[in-house]
Amino acid sequence: VKDMDWAKDKVIISKGHGGMVLYPILQEQGLVGDADIRDFRKLGALLTMFPHKGIPGIPVGCGSLGHGVGYGCGFAMANRSSRVVVIISEGELYEGSTWEHLMFARHYNLLNLSVIVDKNDAITLGRPQDCMEIPWAMLNSFPFVRVVQTVKGAGVPAWEGKISSHYWSKPNAAAA
């Protein structure tokens, strides 16, 4: 994403709780300032836990699973000279709208769309393999989809590989 033309290209983090990973990149691109980073999640601050379209470089707000690929298709179809990257969670593969938009993108040959699936084997309900089998092989029929194996919470021992890290919140300093 670092070589993107932020004036026309789009990056959509459909897994809204992961969208904040773009903030340092937006800072590097000059779209948000040091004070914005420092004030992250403070009352009235620009940068919130779930990114919103009021933040420069964030085209849409996401968080409810299943919307990102649809938004991506719209942006890709509206401006075929742009690049559109959508990052989704594997949990979004349980949403019918995700599959409908993947089929839409293939049908309309949206070559400027890239969908990256963050496969970390941890969704809100538990381990995907314990919930309902995801047809991973079927994703091979979509040339613009890439599945990336990751580790949830990698680098933070208290979170690493733990489903419970999905709901982590900063401990209350007054209670400590």
Side-chain angles (χ1 to χ4, degrees):
V1 294
K2 289 186 176 189
D3 65 337
M4 307 231 9
D5 177 348
W6 290 90
K8 72 173 187 172
D9 298 336
K10 307 287 185 231
V11 176
I12 300 168
I13 308 281
S14 188
K15 48 182 278 170
H17 55 280
M20 66 186 117
V21 301
L22 278 180
Y23 294 165
I25 296 169
L26 298 177
Q27 179 187 29
E28 186 178 272
Q29 296 297 315
L31 297 172
V32 299
D34 294 344
D36 296 317
I37 297 292
R38 184 187 62 244
D39 293 341
F40 170 65
R41 289 192 73 190
K42 288 184 180 172
L43 186 62
L46 175 65
L47 303 181
T48 56
M49 177 65 83
F50 285 80
H52 54 86
K53 71 180 204 165
I55 300 170
I58 304 291
V60 294
C62 288
S64 296
L65 299 183
H67 298 299
V69 179
Y71 285 131
C73 286
F75 285 122
M77 185 162 242
N79 184 355
R80 292 196 179 235
S81 68
S82 69
R83 287 190 303 162
V84 180
V85 177
V86 181
I87 300 174
I88 68 172
S89 67
E90 65 201 301
E92 293 184 71
L93 296 174
Y94 291 112
E95 303 293 335
S97 59
T98 297
W99 291 97
E100 291 167 358
H101 288 103
L102 291 174
M103 291 186 295
F104 177 94
R106 183 175 57 199
H107 177 80
Y108 288 101
N109 202 28
L110 298 179
L111 300 176
N112 57 327
L113 175 70
S114 296
V115 177
I116 300 168
V117 181
D118 176 8
K119 182 181 187 298
N120 61 30
D121 299 318
I123 61 173
T124 304
L125 300 173
R127 303 279 175 218
Q129 60 272 24
D130 297 333
C131 297
M132 183 185 301
E133 183 178 345
I134 294 174
W136 294 108
M138 185 183 295
L139 288 170
N140 294 331
S141 69
F142 301 100
F144 49 87
V145 173
R146 297 290 176 263
V147 177
V148 178
Q149 182 71 52
T150 64
V151 176
K152 187 172 198 67
V156 181
W159 300 347
E160 199 162 307
K162 296 180 181 158
I163 294 166
S164 61
S165 67
H166 186 87
Y167 294 106
W168 182 87
S169 63
K170 184 178 178 181
N172 184 340

